[in-house]
Structure formats: C-alpha cells, structure tokens
C-alpha cells in the first residue's frame, strides 16, 4: 500500500474492518443522512438494542469514522470523514494502478493481434 502519511495503512485496515459489518455501515449511513444523533435515536431506527448500537458505535469510533461528544446528559455521535477519505484515496490509488495495468495488457494484446494479422488495415 502506498503510504500517504504515517499510519495510513493502519487507518485503512481499521476502517475496512469496521465497515465489514452491515449494521455499522447502516449506522454510518444514518449519521451521514441525519447528522449528529444519540445511540437511543439510532436504535429506534434499527432492529437492535441501544446497547448493541453503543458497541457498534465504539468500533466506528475506534476506526475514526465517528466521534461522540457530550451535549448535556446525552452523547451525540457524528461522522468524522478523515479516516473514510484516507481509505477512499487508497482505493482510488489501487483502482488507478489496475487501470494502468489493464491498459498495458490491452495495448500488448492489440499489438500482438496486429502483428499476427498483417492484412488488417483498421483497428477494431
């Protein structure tokens, strides 16, 4: 993995591990759509208990995807985009490298086809 900054590999690893669970992805979607919310509010929208939501939010928090802050007696969670941005940049870099490799394979295959068929005067 190409390092953008120290610890980028660990960030990507923790983000991918956190997002492997569909409930955590759903929590992240809910927070992104509605902004800050409490675990109780989020639990009302999911078929799991508030305690389960809190455990999932702890995993998302450890991965740097959400943060919780006290507002009076409540803890409100909100999306933190930095870790997701780091992961998206890594994925884009990986995709770009594969695109480059596939373009090279295509050029080699087209050249081999032209070389094996000298009667062809136009590319497909």
């Amino acid at each position: 993995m190409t390092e953008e900054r120290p610890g980028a590999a660990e960030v990507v690893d923790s983000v991918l591990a956190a997002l492997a669970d569909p409930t955590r992805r759903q929590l992240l979607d809910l927070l992104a759509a509605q902004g800050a919310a409490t675990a109780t509010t989020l639990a009302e929208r999911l078929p799991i208990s508030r305690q389960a939501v809190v455990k999932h939010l702890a995993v998302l928090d450890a991965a740097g995807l959400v943060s919780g802050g006290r507002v009076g007696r409540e803890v409100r969670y909100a999306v933190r985009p930095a870790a997701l941005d780091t992961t998206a940049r890594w994925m884009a870099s990986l995709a770009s490298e594969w695109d480059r490799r596939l373009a090279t394979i295509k050029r080699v295959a087209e050249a081999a086809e032209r070389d094996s068929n000298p009667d062809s005067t136009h590319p497909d």
Side-chain angles (χ1 to χ4, degrees), residues 17-68:
L19 294 179
D21 184 279
T23 300
R24 289 194 283 269
R25 290 193 305 271
Q26 193 172 9
L27 282 169
L28 200 58
D29 286 343
L30 287 170
L31 287 171
Q34 71 185 48
T38 65
T40 301
T41 303
L42 293 166
E44 291 170 355
R45 311 255 330 255
L46 297 169
I48 59 174
S49 69
R50 181 192 172 284
Q51 291 79 9
V53 168
V54 169
K55 288 180 181 181
H56 283 296
L57 288 169
V59 173
L60 292 170
D61 189 13
L65 294 168
V66 301
S67 62

Side-chain angles (χ1 to χ4, degrees), residues 3 21 28 31-32 40 62 65 74 82 88 92 95 101-102 106 111 124:
E3 294 278 336
D21 184 279
L28 200 58
L31 287 171
T40 301
L65 294 168
E74 298 179 327
R101 289 178 182 185
L102 290 172
K106 180 182 177 188
D124 290 3

Side-chain angles (χ1 to χ4, degrees), residues 1 15 24 37 48 57-58 61 71 75-76 105 107 110 116 122:
M1 180 174 140
V15 167
R24 289 194 283 269
I48 59 174
L57 288 169
D61 189 13
V71 177
V75 177
R76 293 191 175 269
I105 291 169
R107 281 193 307 274
E110 288 171 346
S116 68
H122 64 282

Side-chain angles (χ1 to χ4, degrees), residues 95-113:
S96 175
E97 178 61 23
W98 275 106
D99 288 346
R100 185 189 64 74
R101 289 178 182 185
L102 290 172
T104 300
I105 291 169
K106 180 182 177 188
R107 281 193 307 274
V108 168
E110 288 171 346
E113 185 177 341

